[in-house]
């Protein structure tokens, strides 16, 4: 290794990245922690902007003690000069990893316009880039007032603001519960919570439930708060349409039959100015993919030490599978310890992280059980009319995608993209990919993108000259 203390670059300062940073820094590793956000915390511990001077930010969080421990630990390592915390750094590429010991270059963009290039050299890399929300289209979903469930949560935690007066929270997944109760506690009227799955099915997963009493208590807490705020809850229902002229005015909610189709005659209209909708989460895998890390389904594949199959690259948290903040913490801790040991040239002692490994196993089992229960309606694509925009960046509608499949014979995501431009815009298919795949009836495979973020051409043009490659 090139310096006395080996260097680890951790990308992502959410629960996984923070746990990894603390574990590695405590074991003699110099860590550079990079995150595009202005503050550490990631999605779960997202903090209000400093200028808002929040008096009691803990009111919007649970497990605040854990956050204090992470925040204070980071602070003391930064003061000791062991950790460099680079906020506002958007990592667009990590190079290296062909051979263990050769090192990596992390390329980031800094500044409000993300035009200032920054390079960080490291002996190893730990990817803790989290996940993002899956969004499925339905008629009216592009109206102002329709936002993602996580977006509403981020607005609440980060900007201490609510998106409107009256909300419907809809879609599927456990995230809908903190979103509905959080918005209600902040003063919004929650006209309905609409869940397409039937969470009662979860009660039959007794083994997974018994192993996670904290999660059961958390779920019961949400149920009690929904009752207190008199939130009407519809299970096995979906939002079939959002209505409005200039902006959202109401939604139509309908019951689902056993096959996941809307039951005709069950539609009801609910007035609202906000629809917070989410259909689950997907892992961020761009950086891992450009490094050549193997994926398992949509997740970065890791071994029991959280190592990817590329030497010198670890991954932890939701990039390796959606499972919540507690799992991200356990994985980050293991990854940080493993990276520290291996960077010092030692075989890690797995007994040291036995407790974290046990909790990782239980939490993975719990999230696998959740996955069997929460899912978008099987026939959601039938609700998408031909004039519903599916790819917002390129304004491609449902009719164009159907035509590409039915008339032009497209059988995979790439061909649909070539024929319609769906997925060719700013988001590069990150948002519309699952929807286009679902409508086209083909598998959703994350497409391999050279860069994790849009990069100004000027930055790219300067790269080879500066490094003498041209
Ligand atoms: C919008 C949203 C809201 C959520 N709200 C809740 C909630 O209220 N309650 C709950 O239980 N769970 C919530 N979740 C789920 C939550 O993300 C996880 O449970 C937990 O935060 C996962 O931890 P993590 O460390 O794996 O990832 P995250 O917490 O997502 O942290 C990943 C970090 O990586 C950074 N990052 C990613 N890519 C790059 C890059 N290329 N360059 C630089 N930085 C990068 C991000 O800025 C982020 O800070 C939410 C998820 C999302 C997407």
């Amino acid at each position: 290794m090139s310096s006395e203390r080996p260097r680890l670059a951790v990308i992502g300062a959410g629960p996984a990245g923070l746990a990894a940073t603390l574990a590695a820094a405590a074991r003699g590793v110099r860590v550079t922690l990079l995150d595009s956000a202005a503050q550490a915390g990631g999605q779960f511990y997202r903090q209000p902007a400093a200028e808002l001077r929040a008096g009691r930010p803990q009111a919007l969080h649970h497990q605040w003690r854990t956050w204090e421990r992470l925040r204070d630990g980071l602070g003391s390592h930064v003061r000791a000069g062991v950790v460099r915390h680079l906020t506002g750094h958007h990592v667009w590429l990590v190079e290296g990893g062909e051979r263990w010991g050769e090192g990596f270059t992390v390329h980031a963009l800094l500044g409000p316009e993300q035009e200032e290039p920054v390079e960080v050299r490291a002996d190893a890399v730990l990817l803790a880039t989290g996940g993002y929300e899956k969004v499925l289209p339905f008629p009216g979903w592009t109206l102002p007032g329709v936002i993602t469930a996580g977006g509403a949560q981020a607005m609440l935690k980060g900007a201490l603001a609510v998106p409107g007066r009256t909300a419907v929270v809809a879609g599927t997944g456990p995230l809908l519960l903190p979103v509905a109760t959080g918005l209600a506690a902040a003063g919004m009227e929650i006209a309905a919570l609409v869940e397409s799955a039937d969470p009662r099915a979860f009660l039959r997963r007794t083994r997974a439930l018994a192993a996670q009493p904290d999660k059961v208590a958390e779920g019961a807490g949400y149920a009690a708060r929904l009752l207190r705020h008199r939130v009407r809850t519809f299970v096995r229902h979906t939002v079939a349409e959002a209505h409005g002229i200039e902006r959202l005015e109401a939604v139509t909610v309908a019951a689902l039959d056993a096959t996941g189709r809307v039951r005709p005659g069950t539609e009801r209209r609910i007035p609202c100015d906000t629809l917070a909708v989410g259909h689950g989460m997907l892992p961020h895998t761009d950086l891992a993919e450009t490094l050549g890390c193997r994926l398992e389904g949509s997740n970065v594949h890791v071994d029991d030490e959280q190592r990817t199959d590329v030497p010198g690259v670890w991954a932890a948290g939701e990039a390796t599978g959606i499972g919540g903040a507690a799992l991200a913490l356990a994985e980050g801790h293991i990854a940080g310890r493993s990276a520290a040991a291996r960077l010092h040239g030692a075989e890690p002692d797995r007994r040291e992280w036995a407790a974290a490994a046990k909790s990782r196993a239980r939490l993975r089992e719990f999230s696998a059980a959740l996955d069997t229960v929460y899912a978008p309606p099987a026939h959601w694509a039938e609700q998408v009319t031909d004039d519903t925009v599916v790819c917002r960046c390129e304004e491609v509608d449902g009719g164009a995608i159907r035509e590409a499949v039915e008339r032009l014979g497209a059988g995979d995501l790439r061909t649909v993209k070539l024929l319609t431009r769906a997925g060719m815009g700013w988001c590069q298919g990150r948002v519309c990919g699952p929807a286009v795949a679902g409508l086209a009836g083909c598998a959703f495979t994350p497409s391999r993108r050279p860069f994790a973020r849009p990069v100004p051409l000027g930055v790219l043009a300067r790269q080879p000259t500066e490094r003498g490659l041209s």
Side-chain angles (χ1 to χ4, degrees), residues 11-18 34-37 39-46 60 62 88-93 108 128-133 148-154 157 174-175 178-179 215 218 222 281 284 287 316-326 328-329 331 452-453:
I11 302 161
L18 286 170
L34 302 101
D35 199 298
S36 50
Q39 298 183 70
Q43 301 292 358
F44 189 74
Y45 291 118
R46 180 184 287 276
L60 295 169
H62 42 272
H89 281 65
H90 301 254
V91 177
W92 56 276
L93 181 70
T129 44
Y132 63 102
E133 281 183 292
T148 66
Q153 183 78 334
K157 286 182 178 175
L175 180 60
V179 173
K215 296 270 181 193
E218 195 182 322
Y222 289 130
M281 303 250 299
H284 270 304
L287 295 172
E318 303 217 302
T320 68
I322 303 304
L329 282 171
E331 291 183 348
R453 299 281 163 112

